[in-house]
Amino acid sequence: MKILLAKPRGFCAGVDRAIDTVKLALEVYGKPLYVKHAIVHNEKVVKDLEDQGVIFIEAVTEIPKRANVVFSAHGSPPADYLIAKSRELNLIDATCPLVTKVHLEAKRFAKEGYRIILVGHKGHIELVGTRGEAPDSTIIVESEKDIESLNFSQAEKIVVLTQTTLSVDDTKGLLDSIKKKYPQVILPPSSDICYATTNRQRAARPLAEASDLVLVVGSAASSNTNRLVDVAKDKGTTTYRINGPEDIQKKWFKNVKVVGVTSGASAPEDLVQKVIDYLRQMGATKVEELEVMEERVWFDLPPEIKAAAQKTGAGHKFIDKHTISADSKMSA
């Protein structure tokens, strides 16, 4: 049996930045360190950080006054920042820069009098933050039925924004339907879409075509992980989402000569390696990477934690890792 590894896979730049931000904050401030929401949607990552002294909460009001807190990569509504200020919290904002970009667009368009159609999964934490920028102007759309129920006039100014963790392919059908109903609509720029979501889906398609079975490593709470499963299944290949090797069932491997492995943007590479080790124990003798594209994307650390670390002399490995020249910062 051969193992075929998708490339790119796993952590995106925003997730990597968020996790390193929490680890650096632990070095600088020590325990306890509060994090609003799961820093990323992966149980192993959360458990590892909890073991190091991180306390995860959902409401900012749960945090003691003047404590240290990191806001997660998914973004937060303005109300949470106001509460943090009123409680005199030392706030480190690990919101993914791509999410921040969409927040700024929501604020700008609302100020200019636009109605905002926000395409994404209702209830997803990212949309809570984005809608919070302009709650009176924003309607969340998840399906064709939602589009049918929209009752804007043809004279209204309308703009569409999207959940960043949806790919271009994920949103195309809905965007086409919105444009057909409201020809005057401004559609979102492609730069609002997370490069990692799109790239991992593009890599999953040839992986599925070349495999008898596909394993997607990642959490059930991860939107992009679940979508990877759908993409692989759409190619007609039997596909399972797994948290790690403990979820693998040997009965899946009857007549399997090639097993494809990929992972969601919030799944750490060490989980993938554990899956590979387990498959070797099951008899896999060869590991190959199927590289669809090269990914070279990095985001700098939040300025507040970077400045604090530099004052104390802590976290050189994190600062060096995320400090690069501007001309090489984004290439996907």
Side-chain angles (χ1 to χ4, degrees), residues 162-228:
T162 64
Q163 180 179 324
T164 64
T165 52
L166 298 178
S167 74
V168 173
D169 292 339
D170 292 335
T171 59
K172 186 180 184 306
L174 293 179
L175 295 184
D176 288 346
S177 296
I178 294 170
K179 183 70 174 178
K180 183 177 181 180
K181 185 169 184 176
Y182 299 108
Q184 79 273 27
V185 72
I186 296 176
L187 296 178
S190 60
S191 58
D192 282 0
I193 295 292
C194 175
Y195 74 92
T197 299
T198 298
N199 290 354
R200 278 144 192 73
Q201 289 185 19
R202 286 176 178 169
R205 293 186 181 95
L207 180 79
E209 290 171 349
S211 303
D212 303 308
L213 170 73
V214 171
L215 301 177
V216 180
V217 183
S219 169
S222 168
S223 174
N224 70 83
T225 296
N226 290 323
R227 189 68 185 98
L228 280 177

Side-chain angles (χ1 to χ4, degrees), residues 25-41:
L26 278 171
E27 281 193 29
V28 173
Y29 300 116
K31 300 181 288 188
L33 175 68
Y34 293 85
V35 174
K36 177 184 166 287
H37 193 64
I39 189 67
V40 294
H41 287 154

